[in-house]
Amino acid sequence: MLKKQNIVSSLLSLLLLYFCTFSNFFNFTNALWPIPQQWSKGSTTIVLYPSVDIRLSIISPTIEDLSIKTHTIFNSAKNRFQQSIIQEKYVSPNVKFNISTYQPKILQIVEIEINDGNSELGLGVNESYCLSVPDNNDDNKPLTVKITAETIYGALHGLTTLSQLIYYDNDFLKHDIHHERYIPFAPHKIVDYPSFSYRGLLLDTSRNYYSVDDILKTIETMSWNKLNVFHWHIVDATSWPVVSKKFPKLSEKGAYDPVTMIYTEQDIKIIDEFAKLRGIRVIPEFDMPGHTHSISKGYPDIIACINEQPRWDLYAAEPPSGQLNPAKEETYEFIRALIPEMASYFSDKYYHAGGDEIKTKCWEEDEDVENYLANNLGSSSETLLAKIIEEVQNTVISSNKIPMFWQETVDTHNLAITKDAIIQVWFGNDTVKNVIKKGYKVIVGSAEYWYLDCGHGGWVGNNINGNSWCDPYKTWQKMYSFNPINGLTKSEAKLVIGGETLLWSEQADPNNFEQLIWPRASAAAEVLWTGPQNLDVNEALPRLLDFRFRLVARGVKAEPLQPLWCVLNGGCDMPNF
Amino acid sequence: MLKKQNIVSSLLSLLLLYFCTFSNFFNFTNALWPIPQQWSKGSTTIVLYPSVDIRLSIISPTIEDLSIKTHTIFNSAKNRFQQSIIQEKYVSPNVKFNISTYQPKILQIVEIEINDGNSELGLGVNESYCLSVPDNNDDNKPLTVKITAETIYGALHGLTTLSQLIYYDNDFLKHDIHHERYIPFAPHKIVDYPSFSYRGLLLDTSRNYYSVDDILKTIETMSWNKLNVFHWHIVDATSWPVVSKKFPKLSEKGAYDPVTMIYTEQDIKIIDEFAKLRGIRVIPEFDMPGHTHSISKGYPDIIACINEQPRWDLYAAEPPSGQLNPAKEETYEFIRALIPEMASYFSDKYYHAGGDEIKTKCWEEDEDVENYLANNLGSSSETLLAKIIEEVQNTVISSNKIPMFWQETVDTHNLAITKDAIIQVWFGNDTVKNVIKKGYKVIVGSAEYWYLDCGHGGWVGNNINGNSWCDPYKTWQKMYSFNPINGLTKSEAKLVIGGETLLWSEQADPNNFEQLIWPRASAAAEVLWTGPQNLDVNEALPRLLDFRFRLVARGVKAEPLQPLWCVLNGGCDMPNF
């Protein structure tokens, strides 16, 4: 008995030795990111035709219901996928071609089947999909991947997942294999759907300017992370890059450069269309009434407390100060004319109207406001705020949009925001709970967890230690640990429709923004797609390392997380003391 | 009397109004970085021939003393300068062409005069220069810049400064001026010299690999900052990218990729030569006996405690663990054979031999060390350390090099390091003082101030909060505030020959290293060139903002420090509450 135990134990040791010597430190399979809800895999390696054919079919009711839009999205996705198969040469540091699991089967066809050929991209659209990658074929049929989805948007995610299953190897010829791309661990069976319907990224293009190409590249990278909302914080106190036909001086005077650092209607439509083809909604934010100093460059009459110095801190959250003047009729005329124009440039149903970080002192020292308050008994800066936000909200709604606002509107100020609105919370879960209790749908993006810009010290000022309110840098682990529904009841949690990571651009511009966004926004993307339950940094680390290398292979300047040695070998965890 | 006062006061207000309306927020002149020791300027704007002629002459003793080396350096600098004049189109956000100060004078010639045509680049070489840019010419002579210097290396700095005086304007034609580059605030008279003779940057190419081009670009950017030592931390525990003829398995097994992620002798010589042409010394570091796990991949017999897991922390400062085995004769043979080969690849007189972060437990658990200690009465891990460092030092010296070591060798361990050596201190000023008291020359680079890699959280491990020992991120202000000679007497301060900022590559690679280095290393460069006395972040901020834009214009992905609004307007300082 004892002897038998010894033999078993010796065999186990040998097996372990084999495992440690001949396989990677990580027990590694395809590094899917975000990881699908259900995923079973096998142990076969198959190869891929570079000219894999992609076909689309509609289940019901008939092929006539395939809208032109769906058809355009499909064709665009098909082209991208076929291009990527030809161009992408991703050699993973972890996943290596294994001749012993190779079956000479060639994947030739991707068959996409959607149920509804006429669905519109929008909040709550069905994004689920099933993906099956076979490792064998019936006698006469070519090897075929099947993606089934309710909508074309689910099908896009299926293709994204499929693209992550594929690896490149330039050593195939030594095995006399005349293909260069392979899928290991086939067959794959994946059932997948998002945990949250709003999965966003905010980019601030006012504090520093980004070109249209920078934005397109960001949206493309978002799609690889199954993020689906580009929250375009397009204007702010520092600059107004958007060209308005009704108020041309906004960009002529308020952009950093009226020719080279602007977004025209055409630019916006290019971006909006590019995003839609990737299942990504573009929601613009025109923050009002605060953060509007840039309007004063062209239209000084409607802005109060313009660039107060040096005590800007009394008038604004950061320099330069300036708020829409709520005591002037011209301000309301401006709102009623500008919002419909700006809203018309974007196709999504939602329009973010801001409403954050108001300083009442800005108004209280303004002569027009003083007169207004003296002439209107019972009025105050608070009633003026309510008045201006009401005008903003009504104009958004009459422009056929649903408004979004920052938390301050309902949490700090208790303004009469429609219950249709989405409230964006940048504080923690307590504020989420408060806002939900008031009956609002919420998106989250806690400054403590999901602000991508924090951690490079204070940009304002000249103090040597240069701390910032939102230090330290949020590591990917910190971002990954954020639970959007922490502390909420089940019914409360239903009102958290999603969240977003945010890149404010005080210390970001085209030179460093990709490094700040990726791969940390990927960590948030997995929280929002897969859901915060059962996430584990230990399981995630090797997958994220690998996914980050795939992003780099695709041209994204994603920040490295560890020495390559750790990527290849593991063994870089904190020891348990 | 009262009336007169009123008139004066009104005039002053008008003047102030004029100043605030028509000039920039900053009272801005050419943004020289680092700022010269003495600099007087005028108020004239002149323009530049794109084909400006650059001439070199030698004062004494005769033209025959111009060495080929000096001639080569001059020609290379001349070509670079002429190329940059044609290619660089730097439009400053702050300095604008001012037609009212324009004199139609065309700068045609740069005359460089050096005293010693035969000087060798090395520690303490004379780098001073005088630069004069005229705003007028004698009747028959073309407008000529004069740079006078003791050596060609001083002259290089003069050209660097001159290049920063030049701005581009594409609006000249509207003034009917047919040149595109101008120098404002002429005449300039500059007398300049470095405060410290060693002004370095460390790049760690082991934890993650950088291509030869990445390194060349970094060295080029260093030269624009008047930095003069590239401390190449070329190998470490994680990988050994250097190809050795004597020990080929070092890179065959120890590089991340034995073909694509290596440095050959030829690569090194290209880098060394490229640097010398820019007045930059390349000092390699081959750290021993710690940080040598990568050697174990090819030569496991001479490394103790190879990759101990999971308690790597007991054996090394970071994973993977491994130290040269001091109990084995093969180790000493390895040292005696490897160092001369590696030393021969580099032209500088100095060779950094490491000596940091030894963990004695690594040796104490090694069987060979145990036997050695048992057989050699009075021996200990400390005497073994002394023995191995002695071997290293003797080999460095017999290879005609002067050794550099990390502080631990003399501060922690009190080893018999030659007084010729330079000791590198990465702790604070207390350690600097200790090491100096022992009679050593010192270079500084406090982890608290000058580590460029800190602040992105812990890379080791999976803890959610992910703090790191060297958090937070060191802002440029923090770096700028570091005084290398703080707390030292005058005679002690003389032994501080300089310092360096350091980029360790746990979380850096070619995707983000430029953003981590620049412009923060520029802040340190000014401390080391201009000297820590009289530096003021308020004065420096607009200059650094402008200089950073020049770096960006030259293709360097330098991190932005503030929104462009602040660059253009100022007004982004911390208010005094």
Side-chain angles (χ1 to χ4, degrees):
Chain A
M1 186 65 187
L2 196 68
K3 238 179 180 171
K4 201 172 171 188
Q5 260 192 344
N6 274 348
I7 292 168
V8 169
S9 146
S10 296
L11 278 173
L12 276 174
S13 299
L14 273 172
L15 266 174
L16 198 66
L17 182 71
Y18 176 86
F19 176 79
C20 293
T21 315
F22 295 99
S23 87
N24 228 297
F25 190 90
F26 302 125
N27 186 12
F28 218 80
T29 58
N30 323 58
L32 296 186
W33 193 282
I35 199 164
Q37 304 292 355
Q38 296 172 35
W39 177 18
S40 74
K41 46 192 170 282
S43 55
T44 302
T45 297
I46 58 171
V47 292
L48 219 78
Y49 257 167
S51 58
V52 58
D53 189 24
I54 305 181
R55 298 167 187 176
L56 179 67
S57 62
I58 311 287
I59 291 294
S60 74
T62 68
I63 193 73
E64 281 74 47
D65 287 297
L66 182 68
S67 69
I68 292 170
K69 195 174 288 178
T70 301
H71 199 70
T72 309
I73 294 172
F74 167 73
N75 274 336
S76 163
K78 176 180 165 173
N79 288 339
R80 287 201 307 279
F81 190 85
Q82 286 173 333
Q83 276 301 308
S84 82
I85 289 194
I86 295 165
Q87 289 169 357
E88 188 168 314
K89 297 188 170 187
Y90 179 53
V91 178
S92 162
N94 297 109
V95 178
K96 299 293 174 199
F97 178 72
N98 184 347
I99 188 70
S100 72
T101 63
Y102 172 62
Q103 292 285 339
K105 300 284 182 184
I106 305 170
L107 182 64
Q108 297 178 51
I109 298 172
V110 177
E111 225 170 65
I112 297 173
E113 200 173 83
I114 60 174
N115 221 11
D116 175 0
N118 205 10
S119 52
E120 284 279 337
L121 182 61
L123 182 64
V125 71
N126 189 320
E127 298 178 276
S128 64
Y129 69 94
C130 297
L131 169 68
S132 100
V133 178
D135 67 340
N136 220 325
N137 43 355
D138 305 340
D139 287 339
N140 297 319
K141 285 185 184 168
L143 210 57
T144 302
V145 162
K146 280 201 178 144
I147 294 172
T148 56
E150 179 64 22
T151 72
I152 189 70
Y153 306 105
L156 292 180
H157 293 313
L159 279 173
T160 296
T161 302
L162 178 59
S163 81
Q164 294 181 4
L165 290 172
I166 300 167
Y167 297 84
Y168 180 85
D169 195 305
N170 42 19
D171 262 358
F172 273 7
L173 276 180
K174 81 177 174 203
H175 303 299
D176 205 27
I177 300 173
H178 295 268
H179 300 278
E180 293 176 314
R181 286 166 187 83
Y182 67 99
I183 295 180
F185 305 103
H188 293 275
K189 284 196 181 304
I190 288 169
V191 177
D192 206 9
Y193 50 85
S195 292
F196 295 95
S197 53
Y198 185 115
R199 304 180 306 281
L201 172 72
L202 177 148
L203 182 67
D204 160 17
T205 62
S206 168
R207 289 180 177 84
N208 280 308
Y209 177 82
Y210 299 82
S211 72
V212 171
D213 281 347
D214 291 331
I215 293 172
L216 296 183
K217 191 176 178 197
T218 302
I219 288 171
E220 180 97 70
T221 313
M222 286 175 65
S223 75
W224 299 332
N225 286 271
K226 298 191 173 75
L227 291 168
N228 70 352
V229 180
F230 179 63
H231 175 171
W232 192 355
H233 188 86
I234 194 164
V235 296
D236 207 292
T238 40
S239 79
W240 186 289
V242 188
V243 177
S244 160
K245 294 190 184 79
K246 291 201 177 141
F247 301 96
K249 281 191 282 184
L250 282 171
S251 64
E252 281 167 22
K253 304 285 183 184
Y256 283 138
D257 186 292
V259 178
T260 60
M261 296 170 94
I262 54 170
Y263 305 111
T264 63
E265 179 183 358
Q266 201 196 348
D267 292 333
I268 291 170
K269 292 200 162 159
I270 286 169
I271 289 167
D272 192 277
E273 183 63 20
F274 182 94
K276 272 201 291 189
L277 290 175
R278 287 152 182 82
I280 292 177
R281 304 156 56 204
V282 177
I283 298 181
E285 178 184 353
F286 292 87
D287 197 355
M288 294 179 178
H291 290 272
T292 47
H293 166 272
S294 57
I295 296 174
S296 76
K297 306 296 271 188
Y299 304 92
D301 290 349
I302 57 171
I303 302 295
C305 75
I306 299 171
N307 194 17
E308 293 284 349
Q309 291 285 0
R311 289 302 306 269
W312 53 261
D313 56 306
L314 303 175
Y315 303 89
E318 63 183 53
S321 64
Q323 294 177 185
L324 281 173
N325 192 324
K328 288 190 155 179
E329 188 42 39
E330 301 92 302
T331 301
Y332 298 89
E333 287 163 13
F334 176 82
I335 289 169
R336 285 192 296 267
L338 180 77
I339 289 179
E341 187 195 357
M342 293 298 116
S344 75
Y345 294 168
F346 296 85
S347 64
D348 199 70
K349 278 299 281 178
Y350 284 83
Y351 174 105
H352 201 309
D356 62 323
E357 297 188 319
I358 298 304
K359 295 256 185 179
T360 54
K361 188 179 175 71
C362 171
W363 287 335
E364 285 154 8
E365 292 185 4
D366 180 83
E367 206 179 323
D368 292 295
V369 175
E370 277 173 10
N371 289 339
Y372 180 95
L373 296 179
N375 295 331
N376 291 271
L377 275 179
S379 66
S380 66
S381 53
E382 202 62 27
T383 64
L384 280 169
L385 173 60
K387 188 178 170 205
I388 203 165
I389 287 285
E390 189 188 4
E391 190 76 52
V392 167
Q393 174 165 276
N394 289 342
T395 313
V396 170
I397 292 169
S398 69
S399 306
N400 288 314
K401 300 280 180 176
I402 306 169
M404 293 176 67
F405 287 104
W406 291 100
Q407 64 185 43
E408 285 91 328
T409 51
V410 298
D411 192 50
T412 316
H413 294 292
N414 209 17
L415 301 171
I417 302 299
T418 169
K419 292 291 183 327
D420 288 339
I422 295 171
I423 303 300
Q424 178 161 17
V425 175
W426 57 286
F427 281 16
N429 290 99
D430 287 352
T431 306
V432 172
K433 205 174 178 86
N434 286 345
V435 173
I436 281 175
K437 279 189 172 158
K438 294 187 176 183
Y440 291 101
K441 289 188 288 294
V442 160
I443 63 161
V444 300
S446 158
E448 200 190 328
Y449 287 85
W450 278 10
Y451 269 30
L452 293 159
D453 52 305
C454 299
H456 279 208
W459 63 273
V460 176
N462 41 34
N463 59 327
I464 286 164
N465 287 314
N467 298 325
S468 159
W469 67 276
C470 79
D471 284 339
Y473 181 86
K474 317 305 171 203
T475 62
W476 78 267
Q477 298 97 323
K478 178 88 178 175
M479 295 203 163
Y480 200 64
S481 74
F482 181 58
N483 182 348
I485 54 172
N486 194 33
L488 302 182
T489 66
K490 259 194 174 167
S491 61
E492 286 169 348
K494 280 183 187 157
L495 287 172
V496 178
I497 60 166
E500 60 186 34
T501 46
L502 306 92
L503 185 64
W504 302 106
S505 294
E506 284 89 348
Q507 293 162 303
D509 78 1
N511 290 287
N512 68 338
F513 80 122
E514 281 202 308
Q515 291 83 351
L516 289 170
I517 296 175
W518 311 110
R520 291 184 299 148
S522 306
E526 183 154 290
V527 173
L528 291 168
W529 177 275
T530 312
Q533 306 83 1
N534 307 321
L535 295 187
D536 172 10
V537 289
N538 291 293
E539 183 281 324
L541 175 64
R543 244 182 338 109
L544 184 59
L545 292 171
D546 200 278
F547 180 61
R548 181 250 164 197
F549 272 94
R550 193 184 285 271
L551 292 180
V552 170
R554 290 178 179 178
V556 179
K557 300 284 178 195
E559 182 177 65
L561 304 174
Q562 293 195 332
L564 182 51
W565 190 87
C566 305
V567 180
L568 296 169
N569 299 279
C572 293
D573 275 333
M574 210 64 188
N576 293 316
F577 300 112
Chain B
M1 186 64 187
L2 196 69
K3 239 181 178 169
K4 201 172 168 187
Q5 262 194 341
N6 275 349
I7 291 167
V8 170
S9 144
S10 296
L11 279 172
L12 277 174
S13 300
L14 273 172
L15 267 174
L16 199 66
L17 181 71
Y18 176 85
F19 176 79
C20 293
T21 315
F22 295 99
S23 87
N24 227 298
F25 189 90
F26 302 124
N27 186 11
F28 217 80
T29 58
N30 323 58
L32 297 186
W33 194 281
I35 200 163
Q37 303 292 353
Q38 296 172 34
W39 177 18
S40 75
K41 46 193 170 279
S43 55
T44 302
T45 297
I46 58 170
V47 292
L48 220 77
Y49 258 167
S51 57
V52 60
D53 189 25
I54 305 181
R55 298 167 186 176
L56 179 67
S57 62
I58 311 286
I59 290 295
S60 73
T62 67
I63 193 72
E64 280 75 47
D65 286 299
L66 182 67
S67 68
I68 292 170
K69 195 175 287 177
T70 301
H71 199 70
T72 310
I73 294 173
F74 167 74
N75 275 336
S76 163
K78 177 179 166 173
N79 288 339
R80 287 200 307 278
F81 190 85
Q82 286 173 332
Q83 277 301 308
S84 83
I85 288 193
I86 295 164
Q87 289 170 355
E88 186 168 317
K89 297 189 171 185
Y90 179 53
V91 179
S92 162
N94 297 109
V95 178
K96 298 294 174 198
F97 177 71
N98 184 349
I99 188 69
S100 72
T101 62
Y102 172 62
Q103 293 284 339
K105 301 282 182 185
I106 304 171
L107 182 63
Q108 296 177 50
I109 298 172
V110 177
E111 226 169 68
I112 296 173
E113 203 174 85
I114 59 174
N115 221 13
D116 174 359
N118 207 9
S119 52
E120 285 278 340
L121 182 61
L123 182 64
V125 71
N126 189 322
E127 298 177 274
S128 65
Y129 68 94
C130 296
L131 169 69
S132 102
V133 178
D135 67 340
N136 220 326
N137 42 355
D138 305 338
D139 287 339
N140 297 320
K141 286 186 182 166
L143 209 58
T144 302
V145 163
K146 281 203 175 136
I147 294 172
T148 56
E150 179 64 21
T151 72
I152 189 69
Y153 306 105
L156 292 181
H157 293 313
L159 279 174
T160 296
T161 302
L162 178 58
S163 80
Q164 294 181 3
L165 290 171
I166 301 168
Y167 296 85
Y168 181 85
D169 194 305
N170 43 19
D171 262 358
F172 273 5
L173 276 180
K174 81 176 174 204
H175 303 299
D176 206 26
I177 301 172
H178 296 267
H179 300 278
E180 293 176 313
R181 285 164 187 84
Y182 67 100
I183 296 181
F185 305 103
H188 292 275
K189 284 196 181 304
I190 288 169
V191 178
D192 206 9
Y193 49 86
S195 292
F196 294 95
S197 54
Y198 185 115
R199 304 179 306 281
L201 172 71
L202 176 147
L203 182 66
D204 159 17
T205 61
S206 168
R207 289 179 177 85
N208 280 307
Y209 178 82
Y210 299 82
S211 73
V212 171
D213 281 347
D214 291 331
I215 293 171
L216 297 182
K217 190 176 178 196
T218 302
I219 288 171
E220 180 97 70
T221 313
M222 286 174 64
S223 75
W224 300 331
N225 285 272
K226 298 190 172 75
L227 291 168
N228 69 352
V229 180
F230 179 63
H231 175 171
W232 192 354
H233 188 86
I234 195 165
V235 296
D236 207 293
T238 40
S239 78
W240 186 289
V242 188
V243 177
S244 161
K245 294 189 184 78
K246 291 202 177 139
F247 301 97
K249 280 191 281 182
L250 282 170
S251 64
E252 282 167 19
K253 304 283 183 185
Y256 283 139
D257 185 293
V259 178
T260 61
M261 296 170 93
I262 54 170
Y263 305 111
T264 63
E265 178 182 359
Q266 200 195 351
D267 292 333
I268 291 170
K269 293 201 162 158
I270 286 169
I271 288 167
D272 193 276
E273 183 64 18
F274 182 95
K276 272 201 291 189
L277 290 175
R278 286 151 183 83
I280 292 176
R281 304 156 56 204
V282 177
I283 299 181
E285 178 185 351
F286 292 88
D287 197 355
M288 292 178 179
H291 290 271
T292 47
H293 166 272
S294 57
I295 296 174
S296 75
K297 307 294 272 188
Y299 304 92
D301 290 349
I302 57 172
I303 302 296
C305 76
I306 299 172
N307 194 17
E308 293 284 349
Q309 291 285 1
R311 289 301 307 270
W312 52 261
D313 57 305
L314 303 174
Y315 303 89
E318 63 183 54
S321 64
Q323 292 177 188
L324 281 174
N325 193 325
K328 288 192 156 178
E329 188 42 39
E330 301 93 298
T331 301
Y332 298 89
E333 287 164 13
F334 176 82
I335 290 169
R336 286 192 295 268
L338 180 77
I339 290 179
E341 186 195 356
M342 294 297 117
S344 75
Y345 294 169
F346 296 85
S347 64
D348 199 70
K349 279 298 283 178
Y350 285 82
Y351 174 105
H352 202 309
D356 62 325
E357 298 187 318
I358 298 303
K359 295 254 184 180
T360 53
K361 188 179 176 70
C362 170
W363 287 335
E364 285 155 8
E365 293 186 2
D366 180 85
E367 205 179 324
D368 292 295
V369 175
E370 277 174 9
N371 289 339
Y372 180 94
L373 295 180
N375 296 332
N376 291 272
L377 273 181
S379 66
S380 65
S381 53
E382 202 62 28
T383 65
L384 279 170
L385 173 61
K387 187 177 172 210
I388 202 164
I389 286 285
E390 189 189 5
E391 189 75 52
V392 167
Q393 174 166 277
N394 289 344
T395 313
V396 170
I397 293 168
S398 69
S399 307
N400 288 314
K401 301 280 178 176
I402 307 168
M404 293 177 67
F405 286 103
W406 291 99
Q407 66 185 42
E408 284 92 330
T409 50
V410 299
D411 192 49
T412 316
H413 294 291
N414 210 18
L415 301 170
I417 302 298
T418 167
K419 291 292 180 334
D420 288 339
I422 296 172
I423 303 300
Q424 177 160 19
V425 175
W426 58 285
F427 280 16
N429 289 99
D430 287 352
T431 307
V432 172
K433 206 175 177 84
N434 285 346
V435 173
I436 281 175
K437 279 189 171 158
K438 295 189 176 183
Y440 290 101
K441 289 189 289 295
V442 160
I443 62 161
V444 299
S446 156
E448 201 190 328
Y449 287 85
W450 278 10
Y451 269 29
L452 293 159
D453 52 304
C454 301
H456 279 208
W459 63 273
V460 176
N462 41 33
N463 59 327
I464 286 164
N465 287 314
N467 299 324
S468 157
W469 67 275
C470 78
D471 285 337
Y473 181 86
K474 318 304 172 202
T475 64
W476 78 267
Q477 297 99 321
K478 178 88 178 173
M479 295 204 162
Y480 201 63
S481 74
F482 181 58
N483 182 347
I485 54 173
N486 193 33
L488 301 182
T489 66
K490 258 193 176 170
S491 62
E492 286 170 347
K494 279 182 188 159
L495 287 172
V496 178
I497 61 167
E500 61 185 35
T501 47
L502 306 93
L503 185 64
W504 302 105
S505 294
E506 284 89 348
Q507 293 162 303
D509 79 1
N511 289 287
N512 68 338
F513 79 123
E514 281 202 307
Q515 290 85 351
L516 289 170
I517 295 175
W518 311 111
R520 291 184 300 149
S522 306
E526 184 153 290
V527 173
L528 291 168
W529 178 274
T530 312
Q533 306 84 1
N534 307 321
L535 295 187
D536 172 10
V537 288
N538 292 293
E539 184 281 324
L541 174 64
R543 243 181 341 106
L544 184 58
L545 291 172
D546 201 279
F547 180 61
R548 181 250 163 196
F549 272 94
R550 193 184 285 271
L551 292 181
V552 170
R554 290 179 179 177
V556 180
K557 301 283 178 197
E559 182 176 67
L561 303 174
Q562 292 195 332
L564 182 52
W565 189 87
C566 305
V567 181
L568 297 168
N569 300 279
C572 294
D573 274 334
M574 210 62 186
N576 293 316
F577 300 113

